[in-house]
Amino acid sequence: MRERITFVQKLGESLDPSALKVNGDELTGPEIKAAREDRLTFALEELPNELQSLLEGAHELHIRWVSPAAYEYVSPFLARLPPGFHLFFTPGAASNAIAVRAKLCSVLSDIFGGINCSNPTDSFTRLPNDRFSHATAFQYFQPLNDLSGLIKYSKDKFCSPSDSSCSSRLDRLNDAGSFDISYDTISHALKVTASWPYQPQAIHATTRPRSRTEVGVLSADKPKTLEPHELGISGLLTVLGQDSKPSATVFTFPSRHRDAESGFSTKFLEPTGFHPALQIRLDSNKPPSTDSYCSPHAYFTLPRNVFADKYQLADDLFLASKNLTKLQYTSQPVDLEAPEYVMEKWGSSILVELSPPETEKPTPWTAEVPLHLRYLSPAQGGYQKVDVPYPAVFWACAAEEGTKFPNNPFEKVNLGYDGLFGPRTVFWHVEPRPEGNQLQNTVKVPVLDLDKSQWVNAVTAITVLMGFAWVAWKLGVVYFTSGHGSSATPSQSATEKKKQ
């Protein structure tokens, strides 16, 4: 197992090397304000048997969890997704691939708890494979507020009863801002990454037997050799059990994810009804880069109880009235009529291009995305709450011709929307800044009240019986009045013939 622990401060912040103490397998230092990322890399044989068999039948498997609590991002940890549980999956060509697909959802439910999918065929949506080759085949999403299921599973599988440090470290995931699991057949290794937001962090790290642990205390930097498409980092690196003191380092790397240095918020416009409009309010209409073409986008992952109508979003005049340019992508299929309780697919994802107003100076502006609610299951009280995650909002800008973006130590790929753009696209992320602390909007939906449903059943039954009785009575009146009909007797027929 390999481990990398990284503390990253903002530009202009740094730590004196003498403040870090290296004592064999342990590093300690003062409390600093920084973002933290822990990454563990496992070989397949180091994993439990059920995980080994699952990964051996997968070509790619990427799990992204994002906390619904708002927190501050720091470069280079800038890639964003809507809050919740995201899964991107490509099955392998191995002989056990079909069996892996059949048990994937049950394994995920065991690990994370409460994953409501049945199998990839019924529950997942397909990602387009006709655009760019770096997209996975399937996508799944559902709201997931915390990692309590994962913490319990990991304690049972990886922590011995006497190892209190293992349990306490897993408990720190309760405060994590994001959590990622990535596997592909090229690296043949499983990478587990957890990150914590920019906040006071105590510098402390230890290494475990038969593992290599690297600790970095870094800060954003802008060296003179920095290219426009690069980010810079400088600071101190230490390999525990090998180095007696930290070593200074400075390096640059290309990055597709940058900070637009602006913010946005969202809310439902009142009254909401069954067709709510989600308003996106952005701080600035000016693109972050003037050297290339840029356009703002909003990427939504909508759970199955809400959807966007692609036919409504195909009307250019309607889009212009909402400060929208185009619906760039929507997952398929999207049933426009089915109630929520019969849906098997997880929901839908959409990518909408926004249309900022043209002004000489930067100015705040809004865009509106029309959504539609499905009929929901009955509930006590006659109402249910629907939580719609914040979208990921970013400016997509084209890099210069010939610019290449190889993988860097902090890069995130397979985010759903990155596969919808070309490989030279740079994403300038707009920071979500909600009025409260939650990255979701809630709408109250009227449903059948279970407390009053018995009256509905009784009245419905009485009405049906009364209708049946009325029809039977009318048929009886006709029968007893006219019999089977007015058929003529033989003598009546003969008389009529003589008259003719």
Side-chain angles (χ1 to χ4, degrees):
M1 182 188 77
R2 301 192 308 274
E3 182 177 14
R4 190 187 75 195
I5 301 173
T6 309
F7 299 88
V8 179
Q9 299 176 283
K10 289 184 177 181
L11 182 68
E13 300 175 341
S14 61
L15 183 68
D16 192 305
S18 62
L20 296 179
K21 306 298 181 184
V22 181
N23 185 14
D25 295 340
E26 182 180 29
L27 181 141
T28 58
E31 183 179 86
I32 61 173
K33 195 170 185 181
R36 174 170 175 164
E37 181 186 82
D38 291 8
R39 172 170 292 180
L40 304 176
T41 303
F42 297 92
L44 281 183
E45 56 270 17
E46 297 177 296
L47 300 174
N49 292 331
E50 64 268 23
L51 289 182
Q52 288 188 40
S53 60
L54 179 69
L55 296 176
E56 287 172 350
H59 179 71
E60 281 187 275
L61 178 65
H62 306 280
I63 295 173
R64 318 285 189 209
W65 176 83
V66 181
S67 171
Y71 65 92
E72 185 177 0
Y73 290 70
V74 174
S75 177
F77 310 132
L78 295 173
R80 302 177 188 271
L81 270 173
F85 175 90
H86 303 258
L87 172 68
F88 303 97
F89 171 65
T90 299
S95 58
N96 65 336
I98 296 178
V100 167
R101 293 174 64 170
K103 68 180 182 179
L104 176 61
C105 287
S106 62
V107 172
L108 291 174
S109 186
D110 291 341
I111 296 175
F112 290 91
I115 302 301
N116 302 320
C117 68
S118 55
N119 60 75
T121 302
D122 295 333
S123 301
F124 293 11
T125 55
R126 283 189 173 273
L127 289 169
N129 57 7
D130 56 345
R131 293 195 178 190
F132 305 105
S133 60
H134 54 275
T136 54
F138 293 98
Q139 178 182 12
Y140 178 82
F141 168 81
Q142 77 169 60
L144 187 67
N145 291 332
D146 57 58
L147 296 174
S148 56
L150 172 70
I151 294 172
K152 182 179 183 303
Y153 174 88
S154 300
K155 286 182 178 180
D156 294 340
K157 292 292 183 180
F158 300 106
C159 298
S160 63
S162 59
D163 192 352
S164 59
S165 62
C166 178
S167 296
S168 61
R169 187 168 183 183
L170 286 170
D171 285 334
R172 293 193 69 246
L173 291 176
N174 287 313
D175 303 320
S178 66
F179 180 83
D180 300 336
I181 297 177
S182 291
Y183 171 81
D184 61 76
T185 54
I186 297 176
S187 65
H188 215 61
L190 182 74
K191 296 179 181 179
V192 180
T193 307
S195 64
W196 289 264
Y198 181 74
Q199 61 187 11
Q201 310 266 8
I203 298 179
H204 180 261
T206 59
T207 188
R208 303 174 69 84
R210 298 183 302 279
S211 66
R212 182 183 188 275
T213 302
E214 181 184 65
V215 183
V217 182
L218 310 172
S219 63
D221 201 350
K222 290 185 176 180
K224 294 181 180 180
T225 57
L226 190 69
E227 297 290 338
H229 62 282
E230 292 181 331
L231 296 177
I233 290 290
S234 64
L236 305 168
L237 292 179
T238 307
V239 178
L240 298 184
Q242 177 179 320
D243 297 337
S244 59
K245 63 178 182 178
S247 302
T249 184
V250 58
F251 57 96
T252 62
F253 50 87
S255 178
R256 297 183 70 196
H257 298 278
R258 313 295 290 268
D259 186 5
E261 298 182 358
S262 62
F264 79 96
S265 62
T266 66
K267 68 176 183 179
F268 281 117
L269 298 179
E270 297 290 345
T272 55
F274 274 88
H275 308 281
L278 186 69
Q279 183 186 77
I280 305 175
R281 181 175 180 82
L282 296 97
D283 293 346
S284 175
N285 62 334
K286 293 302 179 182
S289 175
T290 57
D291 297 332
S292 60
Y293 174 76
C294 297
S295 57
H297 293 76
Y299 176 75
F300 292 81
T301 48
L302 302 172
R304 59 169 60 102
N305 47 26
V306 62
F307 66 94
D309 185 350
K310 67 176 182 179
Y311 301 104
Q312 182 184 27
L313 295 174
D315 186 328
D316 292 339
L317 290 177
F318 177 80
L319 292 173
S321 68
K322 305 297 182 183
N323 276 348
L324 305 177
T325 299
K326 185 180 180 181
L327 175 64
Q328 295 283 11
Y329 167 77
T330 179
S331 58
Q332 299 290 343
V334 179
D335 193 321
L336 304 182
E337 302 295 338
E340 182 267 344
Y341 44 82
V342 302
M343 292 286 294
E344 291 186 338
K345 297 295 183 185
W346 64 265
S348 58
S349 59
I350 64 171
L351 177 69
V352 182
E353 183 178 346
L354 311 181
S355 178
E358 295 182 2
T359 60
E360 293 184 0
K361 296 182 179 180
T363 183
W365 62 288
T366 62
E368 294 178 18
V369 179
L371 301 175
H372 307 273
L373 296 169
R374 299 188 184 276
Y375 291 111
L376 306 179
S377 301
Q380 292 183 340
Y383 287 93
Q384 281 201 46
K385 290 183 177 180
V386 171
D387 295 326
V388 178
Y390 258 54
V393 177
F394 53 85
W395 292 79
C397 302
E400 293 182 1
E401 189 72 30
T403 304
K404 295 182 179 180
F405 291 95
N407 288 338
N408 69 61
F410 309 103
E411 191 82 329
K412 282 188 180 181
V413 295
N414 291 287
L415 302 172
Y417 58 82
D418 56 345
L420 304 175
F421 294 88
R424 291 193 300 108
T425 303
V426 178
F427 304 100
W428 295 80
H429 294 276
V430 184
E431 181 182 357
R433 297 171 183 170
E435 293 184 0
N437 188 44
Q438 294 296 303
L439 296 176
Q440 56 190 15
N441 294 280
T442 302
V443 59
K444 197 174 182 181
V445 185
V447 297
L448 175 63
D449 190 349
L450 287 176
D451 296 332
K452 301 176 182 178
S453 61
Q454 64 271 23
W455 295 104
V456 175
N457 294 337
V459 171
T460 301
I462 293 172
T463 302
V464 171
L465 289 174
M466 290 177 63
F468 175 78
W470 183 83
V471 172
W473 174 64
K474 284 296 183 181
L475 292 174
V477 169
V478 172
Y479 178 82
F480 289 111
T481 302
S482 305
H484 289 288
S486 55
S487 58
T489 63
S491 59
Q492 289 175 333
S493 299
T495 304
E496 290 178 357
K497 288 181 179 180
K498 289 180 179 180
K499 290 182 179 179
Q500 294 176 357

